[in-house]
Amino acid sequence: MKLLINLVVFTIWGIMTSGCTSMGQKTAWQASGVVDRFITTADGAVDGFILEDGMQIRFPGQMSTLITDSVAVGDEVTIKGDETSSNSMWAKQIVTPKNANEILITSEAKGKMLAPKRERREAFKDLNNMTVHGEIDTLLIEPTGEISGFLLTEGSVVRLPMDIRRPTQAYDVGQYVEVTGYGSENKFGKSVEATTVQRQPSDYQIDTE
């Protein structure tokens, strides 16, 4: 009887400690596919790409040059990282079979995506006033699950600053929008950080003060 009680206690303890370990750790994920397009920031840096199956891969913009020197649209890649939403993940490692390159993603600063308004205003002085419009083709999803912007069918990337991502639930694929803001265009595409988004049936003015 004593042996049975000890066995039950040991089993319960094992379940509890196992649960605590999994709760304290991020789940490692792996994805493979063909790069369909890059995601760019308003200042033209690449901070992610989208695979043909729709998976959005994100990494710090500081690694833009290193990654784009090794990865091109149409390349097959394998990514290891942390997935925290169903179709978006932080990359920790990117492998490009075509040249056996293995890119390790440094953990420095996801923080630039959280930059306060005063820092964004300072960055605006080097960017151009831009206006883009068209239908929303793809919503940009952060690994946290937040909508941080969208791609238009005409090709532009629209980024929504952290402090105005509500009420982003009003955005949907196929919706027509007109966006004004600050941005740039290079060989990877056109990207705009929004200051005003006009959409059907209403418009939303972004406070940049």
Side-chain angles (χ1 to χ4, degrees), residues 38-42 44-49 57-64 67-68 89-90 113 140 142 148 157 159 191:
F38 287 110
I39 303 171
T40 52
T41 63
V46 172
D47 68 346
F49 53 75
I57 308 301
R58 309 306 295 273
F59 44 80
Q62 291 92 326
M63 300 206 66
S64 174
I67 291 174
T68 55
M89 64 186 285
W90 283 112
M113 303 176 73
L140 293 180
E142 293 298 309
S148 61
V157 178
R159 309 297 292 256
S191 187

Side-chain angles (χ1 to χ4, degrees), residues 151-171:
L151 308 179
L152 298 181
T153 53
E154 52 90 50
S156 296
V157 178
V158 175
R159 309 297 292 256
L160 301 173
M162 174 62 71
D163 49 302
I164 58 86
R165 291 182 185 173
R166 301 290 188 272
T168 51
Q169 65 269 22
Y171 296 110

Side-chain angles (χ1 to χ4, degrees), residues 40-44 117 120-132 157-161 179-185 190-196 205-209:
T40 52
T41 63
D43 59 3
K117 286 180 281 188
R120 296 202 310 274
R121 284 202 308 272
E122 180 67 18
F124 285 168
K125 69 181 183 181
D126 297 321
L127 302 180
N128 300 315
N129 290 303
M130 299 182 78
T131 300
V132 295
V157 178
V158 175
R159 309 297 292 256
L160 301 173
V179 180
T180 59
Y182 302 88
S184 60
E185 184 173 9
K190 181 190 296 184
S191 187
V192 181
E193 179 164 325
T195 54
T196 301
Q205 179 73 39
I206 297 169
D207 177 19
T208 57
E209 295 301 321

Side-chain angles (χ1 to χ4, degrees), residues 172-191:
D172 200 4
V173 172
Q175 187 176 42
Y176 183 86
V177 294
E178 294 185 2
V179 180
T180 59
Y182 302 88
S184 60
E185 184 173 9
N186 58 25
K187 63 181 180 180
F188 301 113
K190 181 190 296 184
S191 187

Side-chain angles (χ1 to χ4, degrees), residues 2 13 15-16 25 31 41 43 49 60 66 82 94 104 106 128-129 136 138 149 151 170-171 173 187 196:
K2 184 177 180 180
W13 172 252
I15 293 172
M16 289 176 63
Q25 295 176 344
T41 63
D43 59 3
F49 53 75
L66 177 64
D82 298 321
I94 300 174
L104 294 178
T106 60
N128 300 315
N129 290 303
I136 296 175
T138 304
L151 308 179
Y171 296 110
V173 172
K187 63 181 180 180
T196 301

